[in-house]
């Protein structure tokens, strides 16, 4: 049918099976997640692929992508460090935690590290207010929580990821 | 004696394994309903229990179930697992640690309204949790509790998870339905209510995760047993998500009617650094800011008492504690910024009002404001009230008006005369 | 009839059908509740919150259910604590609505202030300035001073093109969503949507070309601010500088009512020019809409190539001469003994032109030929859509059969209205050889092979054949009302004749004629084909022979030589050719005399639409120096021949028509100018409720009765089907179809449509292209009727496998199915 479909046919059929026939367009969000799995953003081509699969227009697919914050239209770092700085977390020091992480990584909020690996972002409440400071890591098609953080622990995590990526590249 | 009704994983290790769950009375209630109860009787039992929705509005659950018309099919059930209110983190703990009880609750609700398809709408950030629930659903299917002709009866049920993708508004039930249908998460006009015209235009029951998690024990032990907890008008137990300036933030499952005092000082370990408590918010960012005086602290946390005594709805019972170091102008700048970020943009007062309030508080935080701007801020908030399409816009004004009224001095420090 | 309820709005007592929305009930009572996101043609969404009003409900006793009374005996009304949106709240008996109280005024002020916090103050450079709902409401209710910091307004690049036709100004957008909903719900082109959320919401299109919709212009009317405007009108004029002249769109048989806004301007050398076309409300015809062809396709009037002087052939060359000389020449020719005269008239002519031409022709015993590839005008005159028909009234109980037509391309407004009838519950049956945009809304889709049109209808009549046929046949026969809409998709005159007979037979046998919302409707390819039939012109199956044998051919509004090389050859053999034209067409080039004629926009007249609604149009532009109206020239010639043909005014011609032509008895210009009550009540004077389209002050026209309506005896002729002859030919069969944006004379001068013109290609199925080793984009040489034409190839898996499709009037000279030889052109290697 199209590139996205051919690539993930089985998974896509599984997604479509979750919804009744008249609700095919419900698959649009799962498909957007799928489309950005590899690159961390939704390539333009995927919009028309998804449109074709769900039977809605490309414009409508793009509109969904634009509305939700976990979909990205533009490339950024391979990993997005999304630090919650919402009220409860901020009451427990997440704003200065964010600043320090930025400093350590040599970026400003919203920017990407020179190696292209990390983008630091401030986000709204992630339902982990009792374990602040915390962040979620969006990348490689996954979203993982890291709670009860401080700068040292987080930088360790960052280093581990750097090592993992380096090892990957060597292999 | 087991302490927990909802957070049973704290009593029973590994209750997230199906065999452990079953060994601890798991699925007894579901078996009972599908094999021996009429759907209407299930609804009646829940009605009698007095259980009220834990998603925030506190609407009586059994009554809501009764709204689904029997002349329009199919019916759908949706579990609201969007949990995005700042300060709320209870549904997550339930699903992560006691998933089967939640799923069993969902199954009971589905049976009661005779739905054959249920969805769990999780906020997109709960990506891992969705995968985890998918496994648990699989387990239930393999064990014959989900699927076609369950346990040899005529009843069939499928449960699927569906991930949002970062939008607080999708916790609002009609926006959630839109999102689940693959559209922008913008609220629908009501009426018609989802019970009449919901998912794919069909009658749909939407309940919060915590609401649903109460059901297995209500069915198993009966409405009267459930009513032995809590207050007359707010029966049962509630998970209080406690956050902010307390020593032991976390989830506390307690009978409704427990006071602020008990929750914060006995359970929550008191205020950080032994600071003085200044104010509380009971419904996350969507709350009034209430001065934490003795009267307030003695208020029982129940739907009716909060309204009666401190005129601030209990909401999702996400208690944010604020101590004397907290600058209320800053606090308002945080809540207002949250709502500005989350306003879906569909209706004018919310879209523009949250932006305006955000811009005013930003200028305030940069000490660029003048004294009139405090009144302007308050007046913009009042101007939003009563005019929005859904409750989000209303929520955005609660902290603003109450904080300006009650802690004006905090704002004055940010303005030039 | 819906139950009526009575309520009070401000101090007025209003009685309206139950369920009416408050804003509409108020509008009926002359009270304007301001709205932005509400449009009476769309479902309410209640999102802009502009229409907030106080709503009170009669109070009932909780126990007894009785109405609670005040001391004075009146019913106690309890007002909701919050304001409610008038656009979403249906009225109920005893309700009281207050729109001018302090509380509702406060609500209105609040919402306006909110909108203005984002809206720029650029009215002086906004194309909408002067007809902007937001501007007007701000004047009425807005604060005099802003409490908002100007620096926090939205800042975007202005005038971003959404495609070549529509501009978007994101700063001005008030996020009412009307454009998005119009595109999704009304016209089913979901090519606009919001991007992002909150105050960052912006309109985007991802279609290719941008904003790919043939109805896009309508969004600029319903956009309550200047966020969406047309490129055509950008910075062209201010609304208050322009005059308005009513007209009828001349591009298709629907006959949309419009207003041309004109002004005299220095930059056009002091000439009066059209600045834009706007819809004029006619709920019987086009409601409040126009397709983009109608809206943007008026530029031909101003084309520099217009003919302005009579031309006469002298020494093999056409040279300008005086009118007298030209008339003289024609008179001499016509007076010659026993001339065989043929008058070939096109469907762009007015009823008055046609009547006079017919008189002239008849006086010489000439043959009156209609230049058209469609048959059936005699049948539509007899059992056509019954008087009083209106698509808007069709829904449950009506069965609509559309056959051999791609309505979306051929008659966009009918497509829209048929779609909506289907959405209201009408049974829609679509029969075609290929998929069309109407299929999606059909209850039954029937496929046949090109050539099987009539057979398909006959199968429906028998109720035999494949399963879908039996079901469709049953559905069609069981309705209360039935109509058949037939077009010319893939058909020439022969096929059309077969088809229309079959359609007529079906209608007659089912009894679907002679009453409203029943009967036959032809999708004519020109605005006044029905009028031409009524005035006595008929198409000719052997046009080639007729022309060849003619001594004198008078050809008006037709370009046979340009359309078909065979007809050009035939004309070579005609002794004397007189052409009435606006442009130097191929036919004009071959003429002996050419009379320059006025454009429709420069003159008065009437058209009879496909629905047989006679509609009048006025002089919009003062005509350019030189040309005359066809009816005048015909009348002059008639007078020279001793007839009393009317040349003073079309009004007077119409007076003759109504004496002589069946069905036109009730038609006079003054009756055509009668207005009718229409809903929604739109008006530019008191609000821009429903957009900036114009109210109809000029008359809605008159739908004339069919013979069946009048109870006359029908003479339908034999409706027996003649078996189509197997064509013996080799090569590829090419069938003609109609495209909205073709390369016709009237369209090409509108530069703005250039990119949307239908590609000049043979459209074929991949299976067929494979047989000839062709690929998408290839160039081919096509041999047709001895001529060679170069064309492109486009593949389309939706078209039938055994024929190629080509658009009419698009540079490829076919008007009926033909067999052609093709040869692939190998591209020259680049130097
Ligand atoms: C802006 C907004 C956000 C909401 N977010 C949530 C949420 O995250 N989770 C939830 O269960 N209910 C949320 N609600 C409440 C739901 O609309 C709905 O009332 C609830 O899911 C009903 O379930 P219950 O009856 O079990 O409480 C929200 C409501 C609003 C207006
Ligand atoms: S462009 Fe116009 S019609 Fe569309 S949302 Fe904006 S203001 Fe409304
Ligand atoms: S405020 Fe940060 S997770 Fe809730």
């Amino acid at each position: 049918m199209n590139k996205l479909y051919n690539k993930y046919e089985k998974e896509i059929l599984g997604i479509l099976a979750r919804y009744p026939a008249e609700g095919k367009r419900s698959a649009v969000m799962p498909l957007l997640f799928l489309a950005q799995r590899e690159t961390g953003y939704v390539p333009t081509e995927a919009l028309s692929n998804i449109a074709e699969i769900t039977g809605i227009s490309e414009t409508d697919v793009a509109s969904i992508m634009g509305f939700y914050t976990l979909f990205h239209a533009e490339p950024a770092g391979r990993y997005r460090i999304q630090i919650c700085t919402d009220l409860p977390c901020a009451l427990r020091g997440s704003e200065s935690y964010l600043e320090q992480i930025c400093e350590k990584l040599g970026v400003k909020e919203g920017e990407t590290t020179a190696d292209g690996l990390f983008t630091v972002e401030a986000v709204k409440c992630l339902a982990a207010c009792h374990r602040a400071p915390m962040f979620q890591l969006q990348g490689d098609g996954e979203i993982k929580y890291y709670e009860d953080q401080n700068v040292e622990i987080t930088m360790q995590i960052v280093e581990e990821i750097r090592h993992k990526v380096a090892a990957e590249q060597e292999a | 004696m087991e302490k927990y009704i909802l957070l049973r994983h704290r009593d029973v290790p590994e209750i997230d394994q199906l065999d452990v769950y079953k060994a601890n009375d798991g699925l007894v209630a579901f078996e009972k309903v599908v094999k021996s109860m009429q759907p209407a009787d299930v609804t009646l039992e829940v009605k009698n229990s007095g259980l009220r929705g834990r998603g925030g509005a506190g609407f009586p659950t059994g009554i809501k179930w009764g709204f689904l018309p029997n002349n329009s099919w199919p019916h759908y059930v949706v579990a609201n697992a969007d949990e995005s209110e700042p300060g709320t983190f209870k549904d997550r703990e339930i699903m992560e640690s006691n998933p089967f009880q939640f799923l069993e609750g969902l199954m009971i609700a589905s049976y009661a309204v005779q739905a054959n398809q249920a969805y769990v709408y999780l906020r997109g950030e709960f990506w891992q949790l969705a995968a985890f629930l998918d496994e648990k659903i699989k387990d239930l299917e393999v064990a014959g509790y989900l699927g076609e002709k369950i346990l040899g009866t005529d009843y069939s049920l499928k449960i699927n998870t569906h991930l949002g993708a970062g939008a607080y508004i999708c916790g609002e039930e009609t926006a959630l339905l839109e999102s689940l249908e693959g559209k922008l998460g913008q609220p629908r006009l009501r009426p018609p209510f989802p019970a009449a015209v919901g998912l794919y235009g069909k009658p749909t029951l939407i309940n919060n995760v915590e609401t649903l998690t109460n059901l297995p024990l209500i069915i198993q032990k009966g409405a009267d047993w459930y009513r032995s907890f809590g207050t007359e008008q707010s029966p049962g137990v509630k998970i209080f998500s406690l956050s902010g300036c307390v020593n032991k933030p976390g989830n506390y499952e307690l009978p409704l009617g427990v006071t602020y005092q008990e929750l914060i000082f006995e359970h929550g370990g008191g205020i950080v650094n032994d600071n003085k408590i200044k104010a509380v918010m009971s419904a996350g960012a969507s709350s009034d800011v209430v001065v934490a005086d003795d009267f307030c602290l003695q208020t029982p946390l129940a739907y009716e008492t909060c309204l009666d005594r401190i005129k601030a709805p209990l909401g999702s019972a996400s208690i944010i504690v604020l101590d004397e170091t907290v600058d209320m102008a800053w606090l308002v700048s945080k809540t207002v910024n949250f709502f500005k970020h989350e306003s879906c943009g569909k209706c004018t007062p919310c879209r523009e009002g949250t932006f305006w309030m955000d811009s005013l508080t930003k200028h305030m935080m940069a000490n660029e404001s003048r004294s009139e701007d405090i009144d302007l801020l308050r007046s913009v908030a009042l101007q939003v009230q009563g005019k929005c399409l859904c409750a989000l816009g209303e929520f955005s004004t609660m902290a603003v008006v109450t904080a300006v009224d009650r802690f004006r001095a905090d704002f004055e420090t940010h303005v030039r005369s | 009839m819906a139950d009526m309820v009575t309520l009070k709005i401000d101090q007025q007592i209003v009685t309206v059908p139950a369920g009416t929305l408050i804003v509409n009930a108020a509008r009926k009572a002359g009270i304007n509740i301001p709205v932005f996101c509400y449009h009476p043609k769309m479902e309410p969404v209640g999102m802009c919150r502009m229409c907030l009003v106080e709503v009170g409900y009669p109070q009932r006793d909780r126990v007894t259910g009785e109405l609670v009374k005040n001391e004075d005996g009146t019913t106690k009304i309890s007002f909701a604590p919050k304001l409610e949106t008038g656009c979403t709240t249906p009225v109920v008996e005893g309700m009281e609505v207050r729109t001018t109280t302090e509380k509702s005024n406060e609500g209105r002020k609040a919402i306006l202030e909110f909108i203005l916090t984002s809206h720029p103050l650029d009215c002086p450079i906004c194309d909408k300035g002067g007809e902007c709902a937001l501007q007007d409401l701000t004047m009425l209710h807005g604060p005099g001073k802003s409490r908002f910091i100007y620096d926090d307004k939205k800042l975007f690049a202005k005038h971003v093109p959404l495609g070549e036709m529509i501009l978007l100004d994101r700063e001005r957008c008030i996020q009412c969503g009307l454009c998005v909903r119009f595109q999704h719900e009304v016209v089913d082109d979901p090519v606009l949507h919001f991007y992002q959320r909150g105050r960052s919401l912006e309109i985007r299109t991802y279609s290719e070309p941008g904003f790919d919709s043939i109805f896009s212009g309508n969004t600029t009317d319903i956009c309550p601010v200047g966020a969406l405007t047309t490129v055509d009108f950008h910075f062209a004029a201010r609304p208050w500088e322009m005059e308005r002249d009513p007209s009828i769109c001349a591009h298709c048989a629907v006959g949309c009512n419009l207003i041309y806004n004109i002004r005299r301007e220095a930059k056009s050398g002091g000439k009066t020019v059209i600045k834009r076309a706007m819809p004029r409300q006619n709920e019987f015809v086009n409601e409040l809409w126009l397709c983009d062809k109608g809206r943007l396709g008026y530029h031909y009037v101003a084309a520099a190539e217009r003919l302005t002087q009579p031309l006469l052939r002298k020494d093999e060359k056409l040279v300008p001469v005086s009118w007298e000389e030209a008339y003289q020449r024609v008179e001499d020719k016509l007076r010659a003994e026993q001339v065989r005269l043929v008058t070939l008239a096109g469907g762009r002519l007015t009823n008055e032109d046609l009547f006079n031409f017919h008189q002239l022709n008849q006086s010489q015993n000439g043959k009156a030929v209609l230049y058209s590839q469609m048959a059936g005008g005699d049948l539509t005159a007899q059992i056509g859509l019954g008087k009083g028909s209106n698509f808007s009234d069709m829904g449950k109980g009506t069965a609509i059969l559309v056959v051999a037509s791609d309505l979306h391309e051929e008659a966009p407004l009918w497509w829209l209205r048929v779609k909506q009838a289907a959405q209201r519950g009408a049974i829609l049956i679509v029969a075609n050889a290929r998929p069309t945009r109407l299929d999606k809304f059909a209850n039954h889709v029937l496929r046949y092979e090109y050539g099987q049109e009539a057979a398909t209808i006959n199968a429906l009549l028998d109720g035999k054949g494949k399963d879908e046929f039996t079901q469709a046949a049953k559905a069609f026969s069981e309705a209360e009302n039935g109509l058949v809409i037939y077009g010319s998709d893939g058909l020439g005159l022969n096929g059309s004749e077969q088809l229309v007979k079959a359609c007529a037979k079906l209608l007659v046998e089912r009894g679907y004629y002679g009453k409203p919302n029943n009967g036959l409707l032809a999708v004519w390819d020109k605005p006044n084909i029905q009028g031409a039939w009524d005035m006595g012109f008929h198409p000719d199956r052997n046009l080639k022979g007729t022309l060849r044998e003619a001594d004198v051919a008078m050809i008006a509004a037709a370009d046979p030589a340009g359309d078909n090389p065979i007809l050009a050859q035939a004309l070579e053999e005609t002794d004397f050719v007189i052409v009435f034209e606006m442009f130097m067409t191929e036919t004009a080039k071959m003429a002996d005399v050419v009379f320059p004629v006025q454009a429709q926009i420069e003159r008065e007249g009437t058209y009879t639409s496909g629905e047989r609604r006679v509609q009048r149009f006025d002089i919009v532009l003062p005509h350019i120096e030189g040309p005359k109206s066809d009816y005048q020239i015909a009348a002059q010639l008639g007078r020279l021949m001793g007839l009393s043909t009317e040349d003073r005014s079309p009004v007077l011609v119409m007076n003759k028509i109504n004496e002589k032509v069946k069905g036109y008895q009730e038609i006079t210009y003054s009756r055509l100018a009668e207005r009718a009550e229409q809903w929604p009540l739109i008006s530019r004077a008191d609000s821009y409720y429903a957009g900036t389209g114009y109210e109809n002050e000029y008359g809605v026209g008159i739908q004339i009765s069919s013979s069946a309506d009048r109870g006359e005896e029908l003479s339908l002729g034999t409706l027996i089907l003649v078996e189509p002859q197997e064509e013996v030919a080799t090569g590829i069969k090419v069938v003609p179809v109609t495209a909205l944006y073709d390369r016709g004379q009237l369209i090409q001068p509108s530069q703005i449509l250039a990119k949307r013109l239908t590609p000049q290609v043979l459209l074929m199925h991949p299976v067929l292209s494979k047989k000839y080793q062709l690929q998408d984009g290839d160039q081919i040489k096509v041999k047709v009727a001895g001529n060679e034409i170069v064309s492109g190839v486009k593949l389309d898996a939706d078209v039938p496998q055994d024929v190629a499709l080509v658009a009419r009037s698009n540079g490829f000279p076919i008007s009926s199915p033909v067999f052609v030889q093709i040869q692939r052109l190998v591209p020259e290697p680049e130097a």
Side-chain angles (χ1 to χ4, degrees), chain C residues 388-449:
Chain C
S389 295
N390 186 351
F391 280 115
S392 297
D393 299 336
M394 297 178 198
K396 279 197 177 58
T398 304
I400 306 175
L401 166 61
V402 179
V403 55
S405 177
D406 181 352
L407 272 185
H408 192 259
E409 297 280 313
E410 295 173 30
L413 254 298
W414 285 348
W415 174 84
L416 179 58
R417 302 187 83 207
V418 168
K419 160 195 176 266
Q420 290 180 335
Q423 287 174 323
R424 280 190 299 267
I427 298 287
L428 176 61
I429 304 164
V430 176
N432 208 328
R434 60 180 177 127
T436 69
R437 287 275 313 257
L438 205 51
D439 293 3
K440 184 174 165 187
F441 304 97
N443 307 72
H444 304 276
V445 174
L446 308 177
R447 283 274 170 276
Y448 54 74
E449 279 173 28

Side-chain angles (χ1 to χ4, degrees), chain C residues 377-387 513-515 530 534 612 662-663 704-716:
Chain C
D378 46 345
L379 296 175
T380 50
Q382 296 185 74
I383 57 163
L385 218 49
K387 188 172 168 65
Y513 65 100
K515 47 193 181 186
Q530 184 65 49
D534 294 346
R612 292 188 343 284
K662 252 180 41 181
I704 58 177
S705 53
S706 66
S707 312
D709 289 335
R710 296 189 295 270
E712 290 166 10
E713 201 171 318
L714 304 180
S715 60
L716 302 176

Side-chain angles (χ1 to χ4, degrees), chain A residues 84-90 94 123-130 132 134, chain B residues 85-89:
Chain A
C84 170
T85 58
D86 217 341
L87 176 64
C89 278
S94 72
V123 298
K124 302 299 175 201
C125 182
L126 297 172
C129 326
H130 53 322
M134 62 82 61
Chain B
E85 181 69 49
T88 312
F89 40 85

Side-chain angles (χ1 to χ4, degrees), chain B residues 31 33-36 111 148-156:
Chain B
E31 262 201 75
V33 300
V34 283
K35 285 194 172 157
S36 65
Y111 177 80
E148 299 293 319
K149 310 238 171 215
I150 294 166
L151 305 174
T153 66
D154 271 346
Y155 183 63
S156 307

Side-chain angles (χ1 to χ4, degrees), chain A residues 18-19 26 85 92 95 124, chain B residues 119 162 180 200 244 334 337:
Chain A
R18 291 186 220 155
Y19 311 101
S26 289
T85 58
R92 305 185 75 80
E95 288 179 321
K124 302 299 175 201
Chain B
Y119 292 98
H162 182 98
L180 183 47
Y200 309 123
K334 293 301 283 187
N337 183 261

